[in-house]
Amino acid sequence: MAALPLLLALLIRGMASAAHHPRLPRHRPSCHMVQMSVVVCSNLSLTGAPVNLPPGIETLDLSHNQVQNLTRDTLAYRTDLRHLNLHSNKIHFIQPGLFEDMTNLKILDLSRNHLNVFALTKNKIGTLAAVETLDLSSNGLYTGMSDFLIADSPSLVELSLNSNSITKIAQNTFRGALSLRKVSLHNNVILEIEDGAFDSLDCLTELDLSKNSITCITDFNLSRLKVLNLSKNSLEIFQSTRLTDVYDLVFLDLSENKLPCFPLLPANNSIQHLDLSRNQLQSVNMTDTPERKTHVVLNHLRYLDLSYNQLKDIPQSFFHTMTSLEVLNVSNNCIDSFLIVDKDLLPAVKIINLNYNSLQRLSFGEATLQSLKELLLRGNDLSTLEQQTLQRLPSLNLLQLQENNLRVCPWDTKPCPSDHNRLHPPDCVYFSCIPNLKYLYLSQNNLKSLPFSAFADTPLTLLDLSLNPGLEMHPDSLSGLEHTLVHLFLRENNISKLNTELSSLRSLRLVDLSTNQLTSLPAWSKESSIETLNLHNNSLVTLEHSTMIALERSLKTLYVGSNPLSCCGNLGFLHLVQHSTVVVPDIETVTCLLREDSEPVNIEKVSREMCHSPKKVNYIIVVVVFVLFAMIMSGLMVKYCKSRKRKHVRRFIA
């Protein structure tokens, strides 16, 4: 009980001390200046703009906060802003007339709020005097609600109503914003567009109606429009009936719809980009009946995408007016024959993509497709090509022929362009004398052999022969590529021995021999230029010391995991891994065996000392030494005993 007054005194003293030294409140995260005129107050759980912001601010970011009521007080009576970002708040009320005094405000972002609640009151927000860009996306707005928000927007140029629930575009939807140039209605549920809905927008040049539920456009008449996106709708018809009017349309995206035939486009058009991919096109006729064929000039068209349709044939006449076309994509269709015979067809085309069709015949006439740089023929049924088909393409730089069923013609029967007397052997393709071909892909062609000088006079820098199980390469199959070939891919070919001389390829930088059955490597000369070598997943036990020394001079990256390597039979490779600058990306899977019956050890944990066998003990010498030692000890014991006995006798006589 005597200690109680003392404890009470200490408690009072502590309370007094706390009163003189109060705990400082924790500082809440504050806004920060990005530039002299830009303030970011994002993600601070604010219900309004801070009142102590410095003067001269032009941009205020209040996104991702808790603003609910947008009033003059909420904005701290700021009227000098040029850019106001209120994205991702909870705004459901806007004070009418709030923006009338904000005569400098050009950009207003109100996306991801609850403005549908405000629109239900049918009150207008008042004049947006100077606003040029307005984002109202993701506000739960449905048909007619946007009218209350843009009813008086004389300067509005760009409007986003993306990701709302609008089902109809009415004639009066944009009557309060007649200066609009760009309107985006992506990701709504628009089913209907009233006639004349956009007619009052004389300045409109970009319209995005993608990802809606529009089924037909029967009278496209927006002649001043330059960009129109109608992708991801349910369009079954698109046509312009005013064929004589001049249209400014440059970009038209009709992809991912249900169009059964080519759209009926304005005759006088400026279209450069036309995307019709992922529709239900079965022909390129512009109407569904042959007797109503209509021809439209597309001489400005540069990009045409017809991929992922049901086309079985594309007649040459289809390309007659496409004199500017540079990219043609007709991949993933059902085309079995593609012919370009007329030299005036597709004079500017640079890329033709015919991947994944049913091609059995491909023919290019003489002097055709002189600008073609890339020809993509992957995943077809090609087994041969007509003689000189590839040699006639002077600009061809890249050729994809994966997943076909080709056989490579040998050099000794190959006619170059100057040799017209030799017979064309059946069922094979010539890959020599293609003047500018640099990239050739022949994987998955069921190739069984690669003949002598198969690519002579073709300046290949990349050659892919992968995934041709059982491929046998002539020792000189790559002859002619000594000074050009940089990348060589031979993976997954079940190769057990590589008999092709690679050291003669002076420019070779990358070789991929992964997933084969190689038991040894060919000898590389000291002048090897290989920088990346992939030997992953083979049957290699030893890597010759001389080969490793030769490769080490240029090698930078080596893949060698998943091989049954011997630890002590690869001391040269061990030194390369542990002491050189060569990078082994799959080092964790590189293991070796110290002995045949031992468990695999990671190559990084192996040392030379592990491979030094302990000296064998010579048991005969040990036995001899032991016997000699025993004899010496026995002799000494006998001598010692005799001397002891003589001393004992003498002592007895005395």
Side-chain angles (χ1 to χ4, degrees), residues 50 73 76 139 143 154 162 174 218 223 227 236 278 323 437:
D73 182 57
N139 269 287
T143 303
N162 295 341
F174 304 108
T218 56
S223 59
V227 176
E236 297 180 4
R278 298 183 186 274
T323 54
L437 185 63

Side-chain angles (χ1 to χ4, degrees), residues 338-340 361-370 372 375 377 382 384-394 396 399 415 424 429-430 432-435:
F338 189 82
L339 311 175
I340 300 293
R361 185 186 177 196
L362 180 75
S363 181
F364 302 142
E366 200 162 344
T368 60
L369 305 177
Q370 298 297 284
L372 185 64
L375 180 57
L377 300 167
L382 292 169
T384 185
L385 296 176
E386 290 185 10
Q387 183 176 336
Q388 298 298 318
T389 295
L390 301 176
Q391 287 72 19
R392 288 172 179 159
L393 304 173
L396 188 63
L399 178 58
H424 173 42
V429 179
Y430 297 119
S432 49
C433 292
I434 307 175

Side-chain angles (χ1 to χ4, degrees), residues 482 485-486 502-503 505-510 524-532 550-551 553-556:
E482 290 83 0
L485 193 63
V486 177
L502 297 183
S503 60
L505 302 173
R506 306 299 186 191
S507 299
L508 198 59
R509 296 289 184 270
L510 182 149
W524 263 278
S525 70
K526 294 182 180 180
E527 299 177 0
S528 170
S529 59
I530 296 173
E531 296 179 354
T532 300
L551 288 173
R553 298 173 184 271
S554 60
L555 201 61
K556 295 179 180 178

Side-chain angles (χ1 to χ4, degrees), residues 439-555:
Y439 305 93
L440 177 58
Y441 298 85
L442 289 169
S443 62
Q444 288 182 272
N445 264 280
N446 198 29
L447 290 175
K448 297 302 179 185
S449 63
L450 198 65
F452 167 78
S453 297
F455 311 102
D457 297 321
T458 297
L460 292 179
T461 60
L462 182 149
L463 176 60
D464 189 353
L465 297 165
S466 304
L467 294 156
N468 287 293
L471 176 66
E472 293 185 4
M473 300 175 65
H474 187 280
D476 295 315
S477 60
L478 302 180
S479 178
L481 301 178
E482 290 83 0
H483 303 291
T484 62
L485 193 63
V486 177
H487 301 94
L488 177 61
F489 297 90
L490 291 166
R491 65 183 182 278
E492 296 186 54
N493 282 330
N494 291 341
I495 299 174
S496 58
K497 182 179 181 182
L498 188 65
N499 59 353
T500 301
E501 181 61 48
L502 297 183
S503 60
S504 62
L505 302 173
R506 306 299 186 191
S507 299
L508 198 59
R509 296 289 184 270
L510 182 149
V511 179
D512 188 348
L513 289 161
S514 61
T515 315
N516 280 288
Q517 298 176 6
L518 290 172
T519 56
S520 62
L521 291 179
W524 263 278
S525 70
K526 294 182 180 180
E527 299 177 0
S528 170
S529 59
I530 296 173
E531 296 179 354
T532 300
L533 178 60
N534 193 338
L535 299 170
H536 179 82
N537 195 20
N538 273 277
S539 302
L540 295 167
V541 176
T542 58
L543 300 172
E544 290 76 4
H545 183 64
S546 59
T547 300
M548 288 296 100
I549 292 176
L551 288 173
E552 188 176 359
R553 298 173 184 271
S554 60
L555 201 61

Side-chain angles (χ1 to χ4, degrees), residues 399-414:
L399 178 58
Q400 287 188 357
L401 279 165
Q402 306 99 306
E403 300 177 52
N404 281 280
N405 193 26
L406 299 173
R407 188 169 71 88
V408 181
C409 292
W411 164 263
D412 56 358
T413 58
K414 177 206 70 63

Side-chain angles (χ1 to χ4, degrees), residues 245-314:
D245 292 356
V246 177
Y247 283 74
D248 297 332
L249 192 62
V250 173
F251 180 101
L252 177 57
D253 190 345
L254 297 171
S255 61
E256 297 189 54
N257 279 284
K258 299 179 180 179
L259 293 171
C261 56
F262 204 84
L264 184 57
L265 302 171
N268 297 323
N269 67 79
S270 303
I271 298 175
Q272 295 182 19
H273 181 112
L274 177 57
D275 192 344
L276 289 163
S277 61
R278 298 183 186 274
N279 274 276
Q280 298 176 7
L281 299 180
Q282 297 185 10
S283 77
V284 290
N285 292 333
M286 296 185 184
T287 59
D288 53 0
T289 56
E291 60 271 12
R292 293 177 56 205
K293 285 185 178 179
T294 304
H295 296 285
V296 174
V297 176
L298 291 168
N299 53 9
H300 297 283
L301 191 63
R302 299 177 63 184
Y303 177 93
L304 176 60
D305 192 343
L306 298 168
S307 61
Y308 291 94
N309 278 285
Q310 301 167 22
L311 297 172
K312 295 182 179 179
D313 178 49
I314 299 182

